[in-house]
Amino acid sequence: MARVYNWQLGREMDYPYEGSRPRKQWAGVFDINKCIACQTCTIACKTTWTSGPGQEHMFWNNVETKPYGFFPLGYDVRILDALGPQAWQGETYSGQTIFEAAPSGERLLGWRPEDEDYAHPNIGEDEIKGRIDRGHAIAIPHEHWMYYLARTCNHCTYPGCLAACPRQSIYKREEDGIVLVDQQRCRGYQECVRGCPYKKVFFNPHTGVSEKCIGCYPRFETGEVSACFAACIGKIRLQGWISPPDQAREDNPIDYLVHVRKLAVPFMPQLGLEPNLYYVPPIHVPDAFLVQMFGPNAPQAVRTYREAREDPVLRGLFCLFGSSDRVLSRFRVDGDVAIGYGDDGDEVIRVPVTEPIIERPATDRLYQIRRVNTP
Amino acid sequence: MTIDLVRTACALALAASALGATACDSRPDHVIARRASGELPRTDPLSSAWDGLPEHEAPLVAQNVIEPHLTEASVTKIRVRALHDGRWIAFRLEWEDATDDHNVTTTVFSDAAAVQLPRTREARPTIMMGNDGTPVDILFFRAAWQTADNMGELYPNMPPIHHPPEAAAEGPARQEMERHYQAGVGAQNPTVVRPDGASVLAFSAEGYGTLSPPEGGYAATGRGVHRDGRWYVVLAREIGEAASSPVAPGRSVVAFAVWNGSNGEVGSRKNRSEWIELEIQGGGS
């Protein structure tokens, strides 16, 4: 095992390979509080990439309802349970990662789902944390909570799938950090299915090899966002590049949200993979659950989010979520306008931070008629 | 007197062997390939041509050098017979396995077996699939590869689903669509695009994790039959250029590996032998 630095843990950790960050890293931020679980992202991905034989059970993108929704069944609670206590000392993780907790003879701590675990991709949909008894519904804040969690492959800096593959059939692209299964090299051993704690590598029983989210690299290479990002009707998603914290740029929208404002946090960072999808955490969830799911910075991220409306830069940046099919690598907020720039520095999108309000009198004096709102 | 007793015991054991009982003392301590008197049973592990041939019994151990390990061997011995006809050589492997695992899900893998040979007769690569500059040739059998309709067997109640390639007419148009919609096919993965649905494939390797189609290639074939809790599998390959071939008449080495799919065995999680002496006889059997 080599020693690599994982900034999400605030420390070095064991990993089977030497640390080597890509030149640029594919990343995204999801504002969970805006997600309505319409599954448009899921279907956008499904129809684009996984409509072939043997892919029936695959959802490279899925949206589940927390706390009781999973795909595949119990994927997160299974690994969290196996890993044991996960303690943080401030922003430093003092527990074990899945690499450090590897049993003897294994490269990491992993498990394989049963076939049936893939059978109900939207199990637990809309279920809340507990039963609504008399009075619960009218108490504010609500005692019971739920939230939607949209997920794709995290294109991790230290991928579990890549670490687990004994054939090195999985690789991380130098140019964008996207993690791919080499479809020519794969022999279907499913060590990657076992090793990915997010269970985002899938075995294709028709071809006998494993497949996973490809980050829509054919789109990404041309500066377009991934299909699931482009299709999001709730505009909860922002795609771009993330830098290591010591190279963070204030004008990079992802860096700004993750590193500068610490408003977007990774999913289960304690597992040690340094995942590259970041979440604006749900605001109604108890801190203990937030910390377990999104790390020690999640409660503070919620507080920052609650005040974002009063913050001109954050307010402007949130207006750029879902505003364009192009990848935004730079942004600025100029008064009441948020502007996004592409990789080549050209302006890609310009949106008003406050939508103009136009008052239309109930009576049109020119035509002498009353206006009627027709929905 | 002691020697005479042993001889008598061996003779009795040989007689018992002919009646179907086991007799370890009668087994050769290495693998012997005789020259076939008739047609080589390249795809028939139960052919009568295998009867009465010398049978080597090789102990197997759990592969626990390369991670991930198999912690405990599930198949501890394998019986090997071999025949050749001057152009091809065939190994008939037999081992105990209560279940016939020929479909792959996320929890059950395919039963499988492999025969490993050095690239040349004199070479002695490491047992762990060879090493840099000293390759091995590997014949690889997977039960799943000889199953005609894995998906239909696994999911008999799956409703009919219209997959996009089915929109194209049979022939080149559909093949083109299948390349697009099945990445393993599009990438020409040798375990996916198998010649005539072969159940035994030819590979080479230069160290663990490097199993690849052999440069220049050599023809391979075979077949497995699961009967009464045992696998009988024949793996056959072309002998090739006699001057250097490890399977031309003469002496070389061979190694074997077996996977029990329902025990989660796949890839490096396998039962393996050590290198075993291989004697390929030139005369008739």
Side-chain angles (χ1 to χ4, degrees):
Chain A
M1 287 270 189
R3 295 290 289 174
V4 296
Y5 185 73
N6 182 327
W7 67 262
Q8 294 176 357
L9 306 183
R11 67 169 173 86
E12 288 192 327
M13 64 166 200
D14 292 338
Y15 190 68
Y17 299 105
E18 294 291 330
S20 173
R21 289 178 186 276
R23 286 198 305 276
K24 296 175 85 175
Q25 176 61 57
W26 180 105
V29 170
F30 294 3
D31 183 352
I32 282 182
N33 298 290
K34 291 183 191 160
C35 181
I36 58 169
C38 65
Q39 308 284 0
T40 311
C41 48
T42 307
I43 297 304
C45 176
K46 187 76 187 160
T47 53
T48 307
W49 298 117
T50 61
S51 53
Q55 297 181 312
E56 292 82 359
H57 64 302
M58 290 187 199
F59 290 97
W60 293 355
N61 181 106
N62 77 293
V63 186
E64 60 210 31
T65 307
K66 287 291 170 205
Y68 301 125
F70 316 91
F71 175 71
L73 191 70
Y75 74 94
D76 49 357
V77 291
R78 290 277 300 264
I79 191 66
L80 292 174
D81 186 44
L83 195 56
Q86 298 132 44
W88 294 85
Q89 307 293 326
E91 292 187 16
T92 303
Y93 180 56
S94 53
Q96 285 189 308
T97 68
I98 62 167
F99 307 109
E100 292 160 347
S104 172
E106 301 288 338
R107 291 188 174 189
L108 46 71
L109 178 67
W111 65 284
R112 281 193 310 268
E114 302 275 331
D115 224 16
E116 291 77 7
D117 295 338
Y118 294 96
H120 305 283
N122 212 7
I123 199 165
E125 184 186 20
D126 287 353
E127 282 185 29
I128 56 173
K129 179 231 163 198
R131 201 177 66 178
I132 299 288
D133 290 326
R134 182 170 297 178
H136 275 154
I138 54 172
I140 300 291
H142 291 170
E143 187 171 316
H144 296 313
W145 49 270
M146 46 71 69
Y147 64 93
Y148 300 119
L149 185 65
R151 302 197 301 123
T152 79
C153 170
N154 286 289
H155 296 283
C156 304
T157 305
Y158 305 112
C161 58
L162 186 153
C165 179
R167 287 181 50 74
Q168 300 183 20
S169 300
I170 300 183
Y171 61 104
K172 187 169 176 65
R173 305 209 311 177
E174 173 69 16
E175 61 268 39
D176 52 20
I178 286 175
V179 177
L180 296 176
V181 178
D182 183 333
Q183 292 293 300
Q184 206 275 337
R185 275 191 65 78
C186 178
R187 297 287 177 264
Y189 300 159
Q190 299 191 52
E191 296 294 347
C192 50
V193 177
R194 193 173 191 281
C196 173
Y198 303 102
K199 296 299 170 231
K200 279 299 182 188
V201 191
F202 300 87
F203 179 67
N204 182 324
H206 185 70
T207 60
V209 294
S210 298
E211 301 172 2
K212 66 177 287 299
C213 161
I214 59 172
C216 283
Y217 70 81
R219 294 173 61 100
F220 213 62
E221 285 172 358
T222 65
E224 277 190 59
V225 298
S226 303
C228 55
F229 283 75
C232 178
I233 60 169
K235 300 190 174 186
I236 80 154
R237 299 182 178 212
L238 180 71
Q239 194 165 31
W241 308 100
I242 188 160
S243 316
D246 57 334
Q247 295 165 33
R249 286 191 353 247
E250 285 222 12
D251 63 353
N252 174 336
I254 306 288
D255 282 356
Y256 189 74
L257 289 167
V258 175
H259 293 312
V260 178
R261 303 304 301 270
K262 299 189 176 183
L263 176 52
V265 285
F267 181 39
M268 298 199 288
Q270 67 270 39
L271 303 180
L273 283 69
E274 210 186 285
N276 287 303
L277 286 179
Y278 298 85
Y279 294 87
V280 176
I283 58 174
H284 296 302
V285 175
D287 281 0
F289 194 88
L290 281 182
V291 171
Q292 185 176 45
M293 284 291 157
F294 301 105
N297 289 330
Q300 178 57 43
V302 167
R303 288 191 281 277
T304 306
Y305 184 68
R306 285 184 182 278
E307 293 161 6
R309 189 178 168 77
E310 311 306 321
D311 185 309
V313 178
L314 280 180
R315 201 163 57 140
L317 180 48
F318 274 109
C319 291
L320 288 172
F321 275 57
S323 63
S324 169
D325 279 356
R326 309 294 295 173
V327 176
L328 303 183
S329 54
R330 196 162 66 81
F331 84 105
R332 73 186 170 94
V333 178
D334 186 3
D336 202 42
V337 177
I339 307 155
Y341 302 88
D343 282 342
D344 52 10
D346 288 352
E347 182 180 314
V348 166
I349 187 73
R350 177 177 286 254
V351 293
V353 177
T354 309
E355 291 283 350
I357 296 172
I358 299 168
E359 286 188 32
R360 303 174 76 204
T363 304
D364 188 323
R365 295 190 186 282
L366 182 63
Y367 296 104
Q368 289 297 304
I369 54 171
R370 284 186 65 80
R371 291 191 171 107
V372 178
N373 283 334
T374 306
Chain B
M1 191 179 92
T2 310
I3 293 169
D4 282 344
L5 276 176
V6 170
R7 280 182 183 154
T8 309
C10 279
L12 285 170
L14 275 169
S17 175
L19 294 171
T22 59
C24 56
D25 286 350
S26 69
R27 298 182 196 285
D29 65 356
H30 62 289
V31 177
I32 298 171
R34 289 205 177 142
R35 193 175 178 99
S37 53
E39 192 179 348
L40 193 68
R42 290 188 298 188
T43 55
D44 183 3
L46 301 179
S47 162
S48 59
W50 297 110
D51 295 345
L53 292 176
E55 182 178 72
H56 175 70
E57 186 171 272
L60 301 181
V61 296
Q63 192 293 117
N64 57 9
V65 178
I66 309 301
E67 288 179 343
H69 295 177
L70 178 64
T71 46
E72 190 179 345
S74 64
V75 181
T76 54
K77 57 192 175 193
I78 186 170
R79 294 179 183 171
V80 186
R81 302 178 187 201
L83 273 175
H84 75 96
D85 63 4
R87 292 194 309 113
W88 281 71
I89 185 166
F91 297 89
R92 206 286 298 267
L93 315 186
E94 177 193 341
W95 72 94
E96 198 174 314
D97 184 343
T99 53
D100 172 5
D101 308 313
H102 59 270
N103 282 317
V104 182
T105 69
T106 49
T107 44
V108 176
F109 294 94
S110 175
D111 288 336
V115 175
Q116 176 175 284
L117 294 154
R119 173 64 53 81
T120 60
R121 190 182 307 168
E122 298 76 22
R124 292 294 176 269
T126 65
I127 188 71
M128 295 296 162
M129 298 173 67
N131 42 290
D132 250 355
T134 318
V136 292
D137 287 342
I138 292 173
L139 290 169
F140 195 6
F141 161 82
R142 269 190 195 170
W145 291 340
Q146 63 183 25
T147 308
D149 182 14
N150 298 70
M151 290 289 283
E153 280 194 26
L154 280 170
Y155 311 108
N157 299 318
M158 187 166 71
I161 295 173
H162 176 78
H163 295 112
E166 292 157 19
E170 289 278 6
R174 182 172 293 189
Q175 286 169 8
E176 179 66 16
M177 288 279 273
E178 283 173 348
R179 279 196 287 278
H180 287 297
Y181 282 90
Q182 298 175 53
V185 176
Q188 293 290 292
N189 186 312
T191 63
V192 179
V193 188
R194 301 187 302 280
D196 303 322
S199 51
V200 170
L201 296 178
F203 288 102
S204 66
E206 287 189 63
Y208 59 90
T210 64
L211 191 72
S212 306
E215 269 181 48
Y218 58 90
T221 188
R223 194 80 190 160
V225 173
H226 188 266
R227 179 172 291 183
D228 301 330
R230 299 183 78 77
W231 270 108
Y232 302 86
V233 179
V234 56
L235 303 95
R237 60 162 282 178
E238 276 182 315
I239 290 174
E241 284 297 318
S244 61
S245 172
V247 281
R251 297 238 171 197
S252 183
V253 289
V254 64
F256 305 97
V258 165
W259 290 260
N260 178 5
S262 52
N263 193 42
E265 293 170 20
V266 70
S268 61
R269 302 176 198 268
K270 64 189 172 191
N271 308 279
R272 66 163 184 91
S273 76
E274 295 294 340
W275 284 118
I276 302 163
E277 188 182 349
L278 171 63
E279 176 190 352
I280 299 165
Q281 300 178 345
S285 58

